[in-house]
Amino acid sequence: MTGGSLFYSPKNVCQIIMACCMLHNLALRRQVPFLQEDGPDGGVVAAVEPVDSEDEEAEEEDMDNRDSVIQQ
């Protein structure tokens, strides 16, 4: 454990998080299956189901929510 300190600068951490979010969204759009893995406490991490990308209204709302988070 790091004791609460970052291994990278805050700017790099933000870029890493943004890259992970972009990869996650890409995987959802392409319906890449999520594998179940053992969690840190020995339990199973739940798999995430792909979303229906044909729902344009929901997709627009998701983009609005994402933009709001980015602005904050």
Side-chain angles (χ1 to χ4, degrees):
M1 299 298 283
T2 65
S5 63
L6 298 174
F7 284 124
Y8 303 101
S9 70
K11 180 180 177 181
N12 285 346
V13 170
C14 290
Q15 290 174 337
I16 291 167
I17 291 170
M18 185 62 70
C20 291
C21 292
M22 293 170 72
L23 290 170
H24 172 76
N25 289 340
L26 181 63
L28 287 176
R29 285 192 187 114
R30 295 192 177 190
Q31 297 186 343
V32 175
F34 286 82
L35 304 175
Q36 289 188 347
E37 299 178 8
D38 290 338
D41 61 353
V44 175
V45 176
V48 177
E49 296 295 324
V51 297
D52 183 9
S53 63
E54 292 180 15
D55 187 355
E56 291 180 23
E57 193 172 308
E59 189 172 319
E60 186 174 329
E61 183 180 345
D62 292 342
M63 288 191 297
D64 290 342
N65 289 335
R66 182 185 64 211
D67 291 342
S68 174
V69 169
I70 291 170
Q71 293 301 320
Q72 292 176 10

